[in-house]
Structures are given as C-alpha cells and as structure tokens.
C-alpha cells in the first residue's frame, strides 16, 4: 500500500526523501508529502497526485535539515486531497507523523480528541496519532515514552514514523505493516521497502511487530512494547541499485518482463541439476516433508494464480491439494490436521490477507511455509519455513517476473514433497531438465514475439477471453488479470471446458479468444476453440507451432516446445507482452494503474 521513507544524518535530507518517494511510488501515488526538521521547527509540504507534484512544490524552498520523513499514499480513509496527504501534524505543528495501515478505532479516538479541544482537519485515520502524542508529551519522561503511550491506544495495523520539533531523530513503530531500517556511515534510513534507500546502503534491519525504534545520526535503538531493549540482526540485501531503476526501458513492467530469464536462472540456481534433473533445496533435506499428506496453497491475485498452477502439477502426482484465496481462508478455513502443510505465496511477504491466513494456520497448530521474494519479510519470519523465489526487486505494480519465479520455485517444492511422501520411481527428471532450459526459451519468446502486431489487431475489441486446460487455466486467469490491471479493458479467463457453460453467451465477432495450449489435452482445447469460431469469434493460439490448436486459429503467439508443465510459463510471457502492448497503444499509465498499489498491506 502506502510508502514511508525517512533519513537522519544526511546533509541533503530533502533530496534523499524525494528520491526515496520516487523509488516507492509503486506503493501508492494518490498523494505525497514530507516533513523536515529544519532547525526552526518541523516544515511540512504535501500535495495530492504523484510525487512529481510534491517535487514541484518543494523546488526553490531551500529546505534543509538533519532529519526528515516522507510518504506516498494509496487512499483508504478519505479521498486523495492535499488535506488528506501525509504527514499529519498536531495543533501546534510541532509533531509530524506518516503512517501505513489502518487504525480501526480512529473514530473513537477522533471523538475523544475533539471533545478535548483538538482540531482534526483531515478525513484520515492517521491524524489522531500526532494529537495523541501531543497529549502525552507534557507529562512523559521522554518523547519516546509519549510515542509509546500514543501507539498503545491504537487498534489495527500500522507502520508509523514521527518527527518532533527540536529533535534530530525519527521515532518509528510497526505492528502488522512493514518497516525496514537502512544503515550507512553517519546516517540511518527508514522505509516500508528496501528500494527507497537502496542507492545509499544495502545493510538493513527488518523491524518486527511490536518494535519501537529511535533513529539518530549516531545510533539506532530498538525496544519492545514495554521499553525493553531488543536485538535485531543486520542483513545484507543482495540487490543492487540498478535493479530498482528502469534503465533503457520506458516502463518497469517492460523491464521486468525482459528480466524473466535472469529471474528464472536465479530461482533454480543451485537447486536443479541440469544433467540428472534432480532437485536439491538446501533448507529442505530429504525427509523434510515425510509427514505431509495434504497441501493447502493460500495467496492473492497473481500469487493465487501461481498457486493454482502448482496445484494442478501436485494433484497430478497424487497428493491432496487445495488452493484458497487468502481473504476467504480466514473466514472459512478448510479442515486440517498434523499432515497438512499450508503454503503462503506472497511476493512481498507482507500481503495482509495472506499473513492473516498464515496466522490462522499457525494458531491452529498447522505447519506453514512461505514462498516469497523478500528474505526479511513478515511471512518469512513468522512461518515455520521459507522458500525464496530470488526474483530481485519488482517495481511495476503488475506482477510479471515474480509469477514465473514463483512457478519455478513451487515446482522445486513439489519435487521435494513427492520425494518425501510418495513411493514413485518417476523422479520427473525430464521436467526438471526442461526447467533448467526454460530461461533460454523465455529469451527466445522475448526476441521473437508478435505481441505488438496482435495487440494492434485486437486493441479495440469489446472484450478479451482467455481459455486453457490444466495449468493453462491458471495462465488464462493471470492473462486476463494483467490486461485488466494495466489496460482497463474487459478481460476474462476461463477453464476451456467452461466456455460453453455460460460465457459463450458473451462471445461475438468482437471478442477474441486467446487459446493457451500446453501440449496436454490440446485436442479437447481445439474443440472448445471450434465452439467459439462457430460464433465468429477470432481465435489467437498461444501454442507451439505444431499444436492442433494452431490449425484452427486466426492468429498465433508461438511458444517453443517444452515439457507440458512448463508451456504455461512461456505462454504467460507472450500474454504479458500482449497486455503491455495493448496498454501502451491505449496510453495507459502502465506502472501506476488506477486504484492499485504494489503491496496490499491492509485487509
């Protein structure tokens, strides 16, 4: 959701805050603001709209100071206006606060504060925080004690950073929303995500729920909710600043589509033997899953589609497997016992719905495993185990390379599950030799794709339907999601056999059907295509050149021949390019689709 940044100890605080906000704009771009301790008070500037609006407002102010905080907002409470933009201050403008998350009891607190004479100006839940601190500050032994007393009144989830007039320090706390600290020589940083300060340092500390931190130029102090000192390890992030820049590409999404060969190589490096097809997961030696007889995947959005894909493969190998939208898992959890493994798939490791589902499983004593991209994330730390997809930072709101890396990583997990739980001579060597070759085949798709020509032909269509069978039905859902996210065009994905059970009523000559063929059940898919053609719908085959589906298609997005369990990854790359090209032709804000943010950290 929203993005927080902060720094203390840097001479060019304002420039660093603006750079951090630009790096975090994928987390929210409804409004942006900053506050700087400039020696004469806390100076606050904020504007609705994108970070560029804030940059224009700040230009020429010569705003200096040793400590500052910033925020880019994805609206939850109140519309995106100047008044609702963060930071928010108390009545005397001596305390400035930025906040991610949702304060569930803000109505009650707002009423109390107004009755005691506080002037609450915005519609946000956040504004109650600086007013609470202002109430506690006169009687507190320190600013930190007042801050701690204020956050003790909050119900809900939060990551908070605060400046107070006269102090070159940042106070911060988290409970249910991510915060990470950065350590540099003579300076310290704070952010909701590492890319905010990656150009300055790669040494980080991930705060945990209940942590309260004070950052000064010289040190970082971390305590728990009771004020007791706690130790948090310093980790080194293996990303480089260039990973979070667009480089030669017009959009992060386009860059990240083209990074998929590298991301896939990183996902399988050291895990897949190209000669034998054997899989080795360092943290999961033989026998790690011998007690497991049921797997429940929980996820949201693109990660949910990766779970659907993996479930098809694992079910085919004989294990009881279910897939659940994380938001529904919490309200209607499926039965589970000692033989159940709940696998939470979350790119950021901070997705609120997925974390809630994992917490539910943990409370019921069920074994949990996080499949995530972020080593120090909440999911990685709270689950019994974690398996990392190694995709590198993904800035574009629409997930691309992480989907491919999730599938590759989940296939390796499936191999370990099958190894430990089934008496089978089939070690899937052919599949994993093909997985090792997959990055090169993705490169071939990227170099030869006709997605731009196909996008030109169908960009004005009334709707776009995507169909497939087995793993391709997950790809169909993902392709439709991508097109909706970044082009705002109507798109739907269906299991191919379901087309005739209702959706066929919507098929016209203006609704192209994208038929995704994997080499498995292609003849059945061809029959489904014929049903659409009989209604004069144009058909685009996303398939190998020799697929029977290609013989009845009007157009073709070709994928190289590969193992059927991997063909969907190649098809998905073609369809990512298609979505990108359609959105580009329609001049959509591809990296910043309306109403969406990269990491959904509120339920």
């Amino acid at each position: 959701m929203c993005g927080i940044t902060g720094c203390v100890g840097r001479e060019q605080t304002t420039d660093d805050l603006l750079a951090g906000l630009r790096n975090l704009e994928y987390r929210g771009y409804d409004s942006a603001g900053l506050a700087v301790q400039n020696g004469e008070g806390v100076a606050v500037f904020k504007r609705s709209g994108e970070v560029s609006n804030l940059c224009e407002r700040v230009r020429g102010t010569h705003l200096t100071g040793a400590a500052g905080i910033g925020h880019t907002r994805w609206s939850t409470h109140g519309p995106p206006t100047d008044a609702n933009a963060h930071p928010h201050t108390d009545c005397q403008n001596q305390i400035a606060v930025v906040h991610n998350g949702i304060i569930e009891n803000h109505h009650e607190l707002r009423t109390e504060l107004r009755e005691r004479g506080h002037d609450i100006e915005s519609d946000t839940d956040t504004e109650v925080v600086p007013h609470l601190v202002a109430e506690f500050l006169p009687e507190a032994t320190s600013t930190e004690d007042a801050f701690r007393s204020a956050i003790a009144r909050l119900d809900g989830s939060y990551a908070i950073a605060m400046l107070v007039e006269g102090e070159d320090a940042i106070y911060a706390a988290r409970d249910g929303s991510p915060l990470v600290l950065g350590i540099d020589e003579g300076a310290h940083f704070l952010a909701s995500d590492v890319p905010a300060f990656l150009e300055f340092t790669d040494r980080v500390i991930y705060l945990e729920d209940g942590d309260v931190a004070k950052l000064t130029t010289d040190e970082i102090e971390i305590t728990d909710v009771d004020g007791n000192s706690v130790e948090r390890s310093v980790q080194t992030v293996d990303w480089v600043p260039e990973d979070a820049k667009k480089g030669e590409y017009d959009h992060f999404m386009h860059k990240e589509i083209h990074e998929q060969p590298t991301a896939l190589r990183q996902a399988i490096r050291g895990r897949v033997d190209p000669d034998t097809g054997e899989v080795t997961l360092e943290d999961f030696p033989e026998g790690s899953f011998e007690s497991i007889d049921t797997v429940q995947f929980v996820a949201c959005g693109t990660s949910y589609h990766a779970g659907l894909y993996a479930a098809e493969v694992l079910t085919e190998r004989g294990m009881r497997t279910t897939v659940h939208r994380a938001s529904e898992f919490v309200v209607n959890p499926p039965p589970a016992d000692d033989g159940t493994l709940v696998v939470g798939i979350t790119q950021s490791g901070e997705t609120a719905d997925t974390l809630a589902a994992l917490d539910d499983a943990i409370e019921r004593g069920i074994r949990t495993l996080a499949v995530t991209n972020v080593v120090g994330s909440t999911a990685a730390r709270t689950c019994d185990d974690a398996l990392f997809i190694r995709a590198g930072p993904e800035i574009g709101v629409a997930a691309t390379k992480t989907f491919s890396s999730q599938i590759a990583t989940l296939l390796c997990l499936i191999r370990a599950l099958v190894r430990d739980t089934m008496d089978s001579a089939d070690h899937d060597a052919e599949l994993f030799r093909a997985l090792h070759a997959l990055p090169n085949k993705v490169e071939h798709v990227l170099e030869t794709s006709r997605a731009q020509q196909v996008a030109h032909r169908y960009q004005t269509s009334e709707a776009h339907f995507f169909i497939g069978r087995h793993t391709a039905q997950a790809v169909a859902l993902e392709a439709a999601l991508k097109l909706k996210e970044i082009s705002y065009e109507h798109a739907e994905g269906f299991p191919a056999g379901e087309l005739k059970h209702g959706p066929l009523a919507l098929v016209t000559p203006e609704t192209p059907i994208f038929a995704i063929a994997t080499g498995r059940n292609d003849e059945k898919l061809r029959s489904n295509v014929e049903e659409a053609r009989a209604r004069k719908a144009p058909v685009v085959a996303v398939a190998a050149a020799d697929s029977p589906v290609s013989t009845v298609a009007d157009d073709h997005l070709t994928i190289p021949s590969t193992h059927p369990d991997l063909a969907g990854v190649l098809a998905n790359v073609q369809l990512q390019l298609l979505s990108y090209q359609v959105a580009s032709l329609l001049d959509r804000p591809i990296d910043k689709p309306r109403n969406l943010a990269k990491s959904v950290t509120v339920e």
Side-chain angles (χ1 to χ4, degrees):
M1 287 301 184
C2 308
I4 287 175
T5 187
C7 61
V8 58
R10 301 272 297 179
E11 293 181 2
Q12 61 276 22
T13 301
T14 303
D15 291 342
D16 292 347
L17 290 174
L18 291 172
L21 291 176
R22 284 190 291 266
N23 291 341
L24 288 178
E25 200 166 9
Y26 63 93
R27 294 182 66 94
Y29 31 85
D30 289 343
S31 59
L34 57 81
V36 174
Q37 174 64 261
N38 67 356
E40 300 177 356
V42 177
V44 175
F45 294 87
K46 51 187 184 177
R47 281 291 180 269
S48 61
E50 298 185 358
V51 173
S52 58
N53 294 354
L54 177 65
C55 294
E56 186 66 28
R57 173 67 182 85
V58 172
R59 185 178 294 123
T61 61
H62 304 293
L63 187 62
T64 60
I69 55 177
H71 189 269
T72 179
R73 182 172 183 246
W74 188 86
S75 304
T76 55
H77 292 78
T81 63
D82 287 359
N84 288 335
H86 299 210
H88 291 287
T89 61
D90 67 321
C91 294
Q92 282 70 47
N93 297 318
Q94 296 176 330
I95 300 165
V97 165
V98 295
H99 160 242
N100 291 351
I102 293 179
I103 298 171
E104 295 173 356
N105 62 334
H106 75 101
H107 289 296
E108 170 192 335
L109 294 171
R110 181 186 298 263
T111 300
E112 290 180 16
L113 289 163
R114 280 179 168 159
E115 288 175 351
R116 292 196 290 270
H118 290 264
D119 185 11
I120 310 291
E121 298 178 346
S122 76
D123 301 315
T124 72
D125 54 339
T126 303
E127 194 179 356
V128 301
V129 179
H131 291 273
L132 284 172
V133 176
E135 286 209 333
F136 286 111
L137 197 54
E139 303 299 325
T141 58
S142 66
T143 300
E144 186 174 343
D145 285 342
F147 181 55
R148 197 184 305 279
S149 296
I151 62 176
R153 292 293 317 278
L154 308 180
D155 294 334
S157 64
Y158 55 78
I160 296 173
M162 180 182 78
L163 286 184
V164 175
E165 183 177 320
E167 298 186 41
D168 288 337
I170 299 173
Y171 297 88
R174 73 155 282 177
D175 190 359
S177 197
L179 270 182
V180 58
L181 311 182
I183 303 171
D184 195 14
E185 294 296 328
H188 293 114
F189 299 88
L190 170 147
S192 46
D193 206 354
V194 171
F197 53 70
L198 189 57
E199 60 195 275
F200 305 118
T201 183
D202 60 359
R203 299 175 63 223
V204 303
I205 296 173
Y206 292 95
L207 294 184
E208 299 185 13
D209 284 350
D211 285 354
V212 177
K214 179 181 179 181
L215 285 70
T216 63
T217 300
D218 300 323
E219 64 179 341
I220 294 174
E221 299 176 5
I222 305 174
T223 55
D224 63 17
V225 292
D226 298 318
N228 302 309
S229 180
V230 296
E231 294 291 329
R232 298 289 179 239
S233 62
V234 179
Q235 302 183 38
T236 300
V237 179
D238 62 354
W239 300 344
V240 296
E242 290 73 18
D243 289 340
K245 305 295 182 183
K246 283 189 287 191
E248 64 187 34
Y249 295 91
D250 292 332
H251 300 93
F252 278 111
M253 182 182 180
H254 201 209
K255 174 180 182 255
E256 288 155 5
I257 290 172
H258 282 263
E259 286 178 338
Q260 285 176 105
T262 298
L264 282 166
R265 290 186 182 104
Q266 291 171 173
I268 63 177
R269 185 184 64 237
R271 294 172 171 172
V272 178
D273 187 316
D275 297 321
T276 65
E278 284 299 318
V279 172
T280 302
L281 297 178
E282 182 177 348
D283 294 331
F284 301 97
E286 189 168 348
S288 296
F289 301 109
E290 60 186 3
S291 64
I292 300 302
D293 57 29
T294 302
V295 173
Q296 297 172 355
F297 292 110
V298 294
C300 304
T302 290
S303 295
Y304 173 75
H305 298 154
L308 287 173
Y309 194 114
E312 291 287 345
V313 177
L314 186 54
T315 299
E316 188 176 42
R317 279 145 183 80
M319 179 165 282
R320 289 197 297 270
T321 312
T322 55
V323 193
H324 306 269
R325 289 180 171 86
S327 56
E328 293 300 310
F329 186 94
V330 175
V331 298
N332 189 21
D337 55 27
D338 290 343
T340 302
L341 175 67
V342 173
V343 179
I345 310 169
T346 161
Q347 180 275 136
S348 66
E350 304 292 349
T351 308
D353 289 326
T354 306
L355 292 177
L358 291 168
D359 286 343
D360 177 86
I362 291 167
E363 289 174 7
R364 289 189 286 147
I366 304 167
R367 183 176 173 184
T368 56
L369 185 153
V371 176
T372 183
N373 197 33
V374 183
V375 172
S377 62
T378 302
R381 288 186 283 101
T382 58
C383 285
D384 296 304
D385 298 292
L387 184 59
F388 299 103
I389 70 172
R390 306 172 177 173
E394 186 176 67
I395 308 301
V397 169
T400 52
K401 66 177 180 178
T402 51
F403 179 75
S404 297
S405 294
Q406 284 172 339
I407 290 173
T409 305
L410 287 166
L411 289 175
C412 291
L413 174 62
I414 286 170
R415 179 67 197 98
L417 286 162
V418 171
R419 172 200 67 197
D420 289 351
T421 61
M422 298 180 190
D423 183 16
S424 173
D426 179 11
H427 289 182
D428 274 331
E430 181 184 351
L431 167 60
F432 288 98
R433 281 194 291 267
L435 179 60
H436 193 272
L438 188 64
N440 291 339
K441 298 198 173 187
V442 171
E443 284 181 343
H444 179 77
V445 170
L446 294 170
E447 291 167 359
T448 62
S449 177
R450 295 183 59 255
Q452 187 173 35
Q453 296 93 309
V454 174
H456 271 283
R457 184 168 300 172
Y458 299 110
Q459 62 167 310
T460 60
S461 299
E462 293 177 353
H464 304 77
F465 289 174
F466 300 85
I467 62 172
R469 289 177 174 270
H470 198 253
T471 54
Q473 66 175 306
V475 176
L477 293 171
E478 174 62 12
L481 176 63
K482 283 294 152 288
L483 193 61
K484 284 184 277 195
E485 283 180 316
I486 65 167
S487 77
Y488 313 153
E489 294 298 294
H490 181 209
E492 300 293 342
F494 308 103
E498 288 298 303
L499 190 65
K500 60 184 176 292
H501 294 290
L504 201 58
L506 300 175
V507 170
T508 74
E510 296 301 317
T511 51
I513 307 293
F514 293 83
I516 305 160
T518 65
R520 181 186 282 117
N521 301 312
D522 281 10
E523 287 293 346
K524 288 183 178 294
L525 180 61
R526 175 176 170 164
S527 296
N528 304 132
V529 167
E530 294 282 17
E531 293 165 357
R533 283 176 58 84
R535 277 77 183 175
K536 302 189 183 305
V539 173
V540 180
V542 190
D546 60 354
S547 170
V549 177
S550 301
T551 63
V552 293
D554 301 286
D555 218 324
H556 200 181
L557 290 171
T558 308
I559 62 173
S561 296
T562 187
H563 191 283
D565 288 342
L566 299 177
V569 177
L570 298 172
N572 189 63
V573 175
Q574 285 281 24
L575 295 170
Q576 289 172 348
L577 291 168
L578 174 78
S579 295
Y580 176 83
Q581 294 296 343
V582 171
S584 181
L585 289 167
L586 296 172
D587 197 27
R588 306 300 193 210
I590 292 171
D591 285 335
K592 303 172 185 178
R594 67 188 178 202
N595 304 330
L596 301 179
K598 181 63 176 174
S599 180
V600 184
T601 56
V602 294
E603 290 187 67

